[in-house]
Amino acid sequence: MGLFDSIAGQVVQQAASALSGQQGAGADKMGTMLMGLLNNPELGGISGLVSAFQKNGLGEIVASWISNNTNLPISAAQIQSVLGQGPLQDLASQTGLSTTEVASSLSEHLPGLVDQLTPHGQLPSGDLMAQGLGMLKGFMKS
């Protein structure tokens, strides 16, 4: 694992801990899951993820996560329909969870993650890593 992967993993790990209120193994699995989701080449990062939700008729839900309004909930079944079995199986393999558990966990935590990655109500236009490091600095000050 390179330096970039290590730093990126730490950023996502901190976000996962903050979102889930967990530390240790639970946060590690959540961090692995979120990092795997955002780095999945089939999805294309956060922009591709948002596009996938829009293409599957869930644009209103994902738009609420990006906006400065209240995040609309999403079900595990909706996560499964958007991501499909391939990405869910990849995440399940990385975390040791079942695809059902992955979808359930993502339904709980993905709205908050997207919300945190879009603090000004818009998708990141620049370097997501730099923005992630900014988030990490914010967590460390708390």
Side-chain angles (χ1 to χ4, degrees):
M1 180 185 318
L3 179 60
F4 176 80
D5 291 333
S6 177
I7 293 170
Q10 290 174 3
V11 169
V12 172
Q13 181 68 37
Q14 289 292 328
S17 294
L19 289 171
S20 66
Q22 299 174 343
Q23 293 187 358
D28 287 344
K29 283 186 180 184
M30 178 57 61
T32 298
M33 188 182 325
L34 296 173
M35 188 73 170
L37 183 64
L38 292 177
N39 287 327
N40 186 316
E42 290 179 50
L43 297 174
I46 191 167
S47 296
L49 187 63
V50 168
S51 179
F53 278 94
Q54 292 168 337
K55 288 177 185 175
N56 283 281
L58 300 172
E60 181 182 347
I61 290 174
V62 76
S64 76
W65 306 344
I66 297 168
S67 75
N68 293 321
N69 298 322
T70 303
N71 294 337
L72 294 175
I74 189 161
S75 70
Q78 289 170 312
I79 293 284
Q80 289 174 325
S81 72
V82 170
L83 298 182
Q85 281 302 308
L88 284 176
Q89 187 57 53
D90 291 345
L91 293 172
S93 296
Q94 293 170 15
T95 59
L97 300 172
S98 71
T99 56
T100 302
E101 291 170 317
V102 168
S104 178
S105 187
L106 287 174
S107 71
E108 280 183 55
H109 301 291
L110 190 58
L113 177 67
V114 172
D115 192 31
Q116 286 189 7
L117 293 174
T118 58
H120 303 292
Q122 56 190 348
L123 287 175
S125 58
D127 181 3
L128 187 59
M129 186 62 194
Q131 292 177 358
L133 289 173
M135 282 175 37
L136 179 60
K137 288 179 187 176
F139 291 137
M140 293 178 141
K141 290 179 183 177
S142 299

